[in-house]
Amino acid sequence: MPQNLNPQQLAALKYIDGPLLVLAGAGSGKTSVITRKIAYLIEDCGIAARNIAAVTFTNKAAREMKARVSSLINKEQARGLTVSTFHNLGLTIIRTEIKTLGFRPGFSILDQEDCRKLIKELLVRHTELDEKLIDTAQSTISNWKNSLLEPGQAVGAADSTGEQGIAMLYERYQRALKAYNAVDFDDLIMTPVLLFRQHPEVLAKWKRRIRYLLVDEYQDTNLAQYELVKTLVNENQALTVVGDDDQSIYAWRGARPENLMQLQKDFPSLNIIKLEQNYRSTGRILKAANTLIDNNPHLISKALWSELGPGDPLRFISSENEETESERVVNEIIDMRLRRRCKYSDFAVLYRGNYQAKLLEIKLQTQNIPYEITGGQSFYAKTEIKDVMAYLRLIINPSDDNALLRIINTPRRQIGPTTLEKLGEYANQRSLSLYDAIDEVGLTASMPANNLERLKRFKHWIQRVNRNIYDSDPMASVNEMLDDADYKGWLQQNASNDHVAQKRWENVQFLLAQLAQVLKRDEDENGLENGDSRIENAIAKLILRDLLDREKEESADDKVQLMTLHAAKGLEFLHVFMVGMEENILPHKNSVEGGQIEEERRLAYVGITRAQRTLTMTCARQRTQFGDTSATTSSRFVDELPEADLIRIGNGAEISPEENKAKGQESLDALKSLFG
């Protein structure tokens, strides 16, 4: 990406006279435009950093954006700048307006697993348990929240007996969240929107605070996120959104690419600037991407172009079955690495579903090729991290029943399930949290004295930890808490060997280092001296990082990258393989049956535009799934690519003996030169 902006990028940077949509194609330098526009607003337009907010979708993208801005302006100029995810912005609004919203300090944010447990608990009381019903209920409630439907409205909108039941469950679920002094992930957007609707004076304050709003990846916004943006934009309509309708691949989680079009209705003076120069890929790759996506309808057309030359033709390799397909991909990587003198990390293998990685892993292992699968277990999903996070959650919010239930017997304290059940029943009768119910006089009638004594001992210990954390050095107090509980010993007892136990303890130490880092950053950036707010802020940020940081960091190691097409968005690689280019895989069978072909085509487009220099697509002529072997049909998307730029290999279209011989000689020459 050159230092100087091209004319379209420069126009997008300097336009501040009203709302702006930057329609940014893949690899067109959009992040550069956003970050340099922030610097321009501060340095040239005189807008203080504290009055600018830039929002995106992942912590990783927000960190990258903030780092780039920091390299353009000095630390003092950047003080108070908001660069965050949508959910972090929502969390900030909720924390700031906590009294108006009626939450107690230190409210909890429940992750998906916690919410599922709560829904399961509520269902057990009212109906026969069905695991599929829990999943359906959870996704339906999430969809309603993303559409800004409150429980009462959901009851009215439900169009079947099943939905009526879920709507009633939704009402109980929200009541339980309120009782637990908690919110779920969707509430982080919905709650601020409803707050602004009901309290115009609060909205006016936030509009004064945010004088300029920038939004990245706008095509991925759902209805609630769009409403939050629209609501926050001030009277000057000081808004820049950047997006690409061709890269909208998240409809399954509520994203609405039509939000790009809705902007024109809600902001009639909207200016549109298209970024079409691609700095990533060769001409043939871009021509293929343009030709493919032209099969989708567009209200605003664009065509990517590049100055990097035509480049190599695209290849489509047909193999006999999934086994030979994976073998061929691995052999191609070995050959290309040798001939092109590149690293393993220059290669990415992209697929539609995670199950497709298994065979590739086996073949890579056979050839001793290092690889990394993006989308493995998140750091925050590790058992030891969830345990320590539960301790931290309970310390800042004793009403967090989910946290209490997780750690009351971790390590074991001889508090059995019957005791906890009795405690839960009493707490529900009295509408108390489990923690508050422990000291109630009425609980003595519900359980034996020695069981109650253990509960009280646990509560008094948590109270002491809480006092220590707020009254003295927070980090020293957290370490002392883990020593008191002998959590390291607990890991040792429950690990398969010493090495595993040590690794888990190192993970805990890394988490505590992150907590210390957040505490320090809050103090440096915001001058927070109040111990209460510092520790609560730091833990709340870690909890939100737990929810948002599910995507794995890019590895600096020299490894072949394996990932789904969804996970590849935003990344780029010199050499890309797209495997399983067959009907019912890409496009996916469910999408074909559900009429979602356009989204599947956008997913293929995203895959193609990850490639910088070469793109190889593969398929198997027959595939075995669930024990049945059947013939396959190559993906319709391959047939939509420009035939003149596509070399088909296999299935009667093998390369000529002359080409094969030339390729072999090239590989031999490359091998000889290594030893020359």
Side-chain angles (χ1 to χ4, degrees):
M1 179 71 218
Q3 268 305 107
N4 297 326
L5 300 179
N6 66 40
Q8 287 73 32
Q9 291 173 324
L10 194 61
L13 178 144
K14 291 196 169 181
Y15 186 82
I16 58 165
D17 297 328
L20 171 67
L21 164 60
V22 181
L23 203 64
S28 62
K30 68 179 176 64
T31 307
S32 211
V33 170
I34 294 175
T35 52
R36 291 176 73 165
K37 183 157 191 169
I38 293 170
Y40 176 74
L41 290 168
I42 294 169
E43 292 186 316
D44 294 60
C45 304
I47 301 177
R50 66 178 178 276
N51 297 128
I52 299 171
V55 289
T56 186
F57 279 85
T58 65
N59 274 338
K60 185 177 165 190
R63 283 195 298 271
E64 182 187 342
M65 205 183 290
K66 196 159 193 176
R68 287 212 204 177
V69 173
S70 298
S71 70
L72 297 171
I73 56 177
N74 65 49
K75 190 175 179 182
E76 193 55 42
Q77 286 177 309
R79 185 174 288 276
L81 174 68
T82 298
V83 180
S84 73
T85 62
F86 270 100
H87 293 91
N88 249 320
L89 177 62
L91 175 64
T92 300
I93 294 169
I94 293 171
R95 288 185 68 83
T96 306
E97 310 301 338
I98 192 167
K99 287 183 180 174
T100 307
L101 288 165
F103 288 109
R104 299 190 301 281
F107 63 89
S108 301
I109 306 168
L110 303 192
D111 66 13
Q112 197 166 8
E113 187 184 333
D114 291 333
C115 294
R116 194 177 190 280
K117 283 180 185 172
L118 176 54
I119 288 170
K120 186 174 183 178
E121 182 188 329
L122 293 169
L123 280 170
V124 166
R125 298 175 190 168
H126 296 88
T127 184
E128 285 190 26
L129 195 58
D130 179 347
E131 292 296 320
K132 199 170 181 182
L133 176 61
I134 298 170
D135 293 335
T136 302
Q138 188 168 16
S139 64
T140 303
I141 290 170
S142 177
N143 289 338
W144 279 333
K145 288 190 175 190
N146 288 334
S147 298
L148 297 173
L149 281 179
E150 296 182 78
Q153 295 168 310
V155 171
D159 54 11
S160 68
T161 309
E163 279 200 358
Q164 285 280 355
I166 294 173
M168 291 167 71
L169 171 70
Y170 178 20
E171 203 161 11
R172 296 199 302 274
Y173 172 73
Q174 286 303 100
R175 278 206 309 269
L177 286 178
K178 195 74 176 174
Y180 291 171
N181 195 34
V183 294
D184 66 17
F185 205 47
D186 299 316
D187 286 330
L188 292 175
I189 309 296
M190 184 179 181
T191 302
V193 173
L194 298 181
L195 169 74
F196 291 151
R197 283 181 182 176
Q198 293 156 12
H199 296 273
E201 74 287 357
V202 175
L203 174 59
K205 181 178 79 174
W206 280 90
K207 282 187 171 183
R208 287 193 299 274
R209 177 169 170 175
I210 299 177
R211 287 181 53 201
Y212 205 100
L213 183 63
L214 304 98
V215 186
D216 191 18
E217 302 287 8
Y218 202 72
Q219 75 282 347
D220 292 338
T221 54
N222 59 34
L223 185 66
Q225 288 159 340
Y226 176 79
E227 191 67 26
L228 181 62
V229 169
K230 190 176 78 169
T231 305
L232 278 172
V233 174
N234 63 22
E235 289 68 25
N236 297 327
Q237 300 194 339
L239 171 71
T240 292
V241 306
V242 182
D244 180 7
D245 54 335
D246 291 333
Q247 294 188 73
S248 181
I249 56 173
Y250 295 114
W252 49 276
R253 67 182 190 199
R256 293 159 48 99
E258 58 267 31
N259 283 349
L260 287 167
M261 300 305 105
Q262 188 63 37
L263 275 171
Q264 293 176 295
K265 296 175 184 173
D266 291 330
F267 299 96
S269 61
L270 183 74
N271 186 23
I272 299 173
I273 295 174
K274 294 189 276 189
L275 302 185
E276 297 173 294
Q277 183 173 358
N278 175 286
Y279 293 92
R280 175 189 298 161
S281 308
T282 60
R284 281 193 172 109
I285 290 169
L286 294 182
K287 182 181 171 187
N290 288 335
T291 307
L292 174 75
I293 209 66
D294 277 348
N295 290 281
N296 275 5
H298 291 85
L299 289 175
I300 307 171
S301 62
K302 68 177 186 309
L304 297 177
W305 60 277
S306 166
E307 292 181 340
L308 299 176
D312 293 356
L314 284 64
R315 297 186 303 154
F316 178 56
I317 301 175
S318 172
S319 300
E320 184 181 348
N321 54 41
E322 65 268 30
E323 184 113 3
T324 53
E325 178 192 32
S326 294
E327 273 177 17
R328 180 68 186 250
V329 168
V330 172
N331 289 336
E332 288 284 337
I333 290 171
I334 294 169
D335 182 56
M336 288 173 69
R337 178 173 174 267
L338 183 65
R339 284 190 294 114
R340 294 176 182 265
R341 308 283 185 86
C342 53
K343 305 189 294 282
Y344 282 124
S345 56
D346 292 332
F347 295 90
V349 185
L350 312 181
Y351 36 78
R352 180 64 176 82
N354 280 308
Y355 70 92
Q356 293 171 265
K358 187 178 176 184
L359 264 178
L360 287 161
E361 279 195 87
I362 293 168
K363 301 301 179 188
L364 288 164
Q365 288 166 0
T366 303
Q367 298 290 347
N368 292 317
I369 295 175
Y371 66 90
E372 179 174 44
I373 296 186
T374 296
Q377 189 188 38
S378 155
F379 174 73
Y380 287 95
K382 296 178 188 298
T383 300
E384 62 274 17
I385 300 307
K386 295 192 85 166
D387 288 344
V388 177
M389 288 299 294
Y391 272 108
L392 296 175
R393 283 164 48 197
L394 191 64
I395 286 162
I396 66 166
N397 177 18
S399 299
D400 190 334
D401 286 353
N402 285 282
L404 182 144
L405 290 169
R406 182 174 186 96
I407 54 92
I408 198 165
N409 267 322
T410 308
R412 298 207 185 285
R413 296 181 176 90
Q414 295 181 296
I415 300 170
T418 306
T419 300
L420 291 174
E421 193 177 322
K422 296 288 185 190
L423 174 64
E425 286 172 359
Y426 181 82
N428 284 336
Q429 288 165 10
R430 300 275 292 136
S431 297
L432 296 169
S433 70
L434 299 175
Y435 185 88
D436 286 339
I438 290 172
D439 281 337
E440 286 270 304
V441 176
L443 188 60
T444 54
S446 300
M447 64 181 67
N450 57 343
N451 292 11
L452 182 57
E453 178 56 33
R454 291 187 193 110
L455 285 174
K456 288 187 173 184
R457 206 180 305 142
F458 170 75
K459 178 172 180 175
H460 295 155
W461 178 68
I462 290 290
Q463 286 173 329
R464 190 171 75 249
V465 172
N466 183 288
R467 280 196 303 273
N468 290 344
I469 277 179
Y470 284 116
D471 295 345
S472 58
D473 180 346
M475 292 311 304
S477 302
V478 171
N479 280 296
E480 186 184 333
M481 171 189 75
L482 294 176
D483 285 344
D484 278 355
D486 190 23
Y487 188 74
K488 188 176 182 181
W490 167 256
L491 291 177
Q492 193 78 40
Q493 291 168 31
N494 290 277
S496 54
N497 57 55
D498 289 347
H499 176 72
V500 170
Q502 182 58 30
K503 187 71 184 165
R504 289 176 180 169
W505 182 244
E506 285 171 7
N507 287 337
V508 171
Q509 294 306 302
F510 183 74
L511 177 73
L512 298 184
Q514 284 187 311
L515 179 60
Q517 192 178 46
V518 174
L519 272 167
K520 179 78 167 59
R521 192 181 299 135
D522 266 356
E523 191 172 340
D524 290 348
E525 290 184 3
N526 304 311
L528 284 173
E529 293 173 2
N530 183 309
D532 290 16
S533 61
R534 275 184 60 217
I535 189 64
E536 283 181 12
N537 269 329
I539 293 173
K541 283 181 180 176
L542 270 196
I543 292 167
L544 192 58
R545 193 180 293 181
D546 173 359
L547 300 177
L548 288 170
D549 251 4
R550 305 297 185 181
E551 80 271 12
K552 206 167 182 178
E553 294 291 332
E554 286 178 81
S555 172
D557 296 334
D558 188 21
K559 298 175 182 177
V560 174
Q561 302 296 306
L562 308 182
M563 66 188 74
T564 64
L565 288 157
H566 284 98
K569 187 167 173 286
L571 304 178
E572 56 186 42
F573 304 93
L574 281 176
H575 309 291
V576 167
F577 289 82
M578 290 172 63
V579 300
M581 292 293 288
E582 301 154 26
E583 290 293 302
N584 296 331
I585 294 182
L586 185 68
H588 192 276
K589 183 180 180 181
N590 292 347
S591 299
V592 174
E593 292 171 355
Q596 296 292 320
I597 288 296
E598 288 172 17
E599 172 129 347
E600 291 291 293
R601 188 175 284 112
R602 291 195 291 268
L603 195 54
Y605 174 87
V606 164
I608 291 170
T609 53
R610 298 313 94 197
Q612 295 172 285
R613 296 296 174 266
T614 73
L615 174 66
T616 305
M617 294 161 287
T618 69
C619 77
R621 293 191 289 277
Q622 63 177 30
R623 193 173 290 273
T624 303
Q625 287 182 307
F626 311 113
D628 292 329
T629 302
S630 55
T632 66
T633 305
S634 61
S635 171
R636 69 189 73 186
F637 300 146
V638 176
D639 295 330
E640 291 175 359
L641 301 177
E643 201 63 39
D645 296 317
L646 184 67
I647 295 175
R648 293 179 183 261
I649 302 169
N651 203 17
E654 293 288 354
I655 58 175
S656 69
E658 291 78 14
E659 288 173 303
N660 203 30
K661 186 177 179 183
K663 184 180 170 186
Q665 187 60 49
E666 195 180 339
S667 296
L668 188 61
D669 291 343
L671 190 59
K672 282 178 181 175
S673 71
L674 288 177
F675 299 99

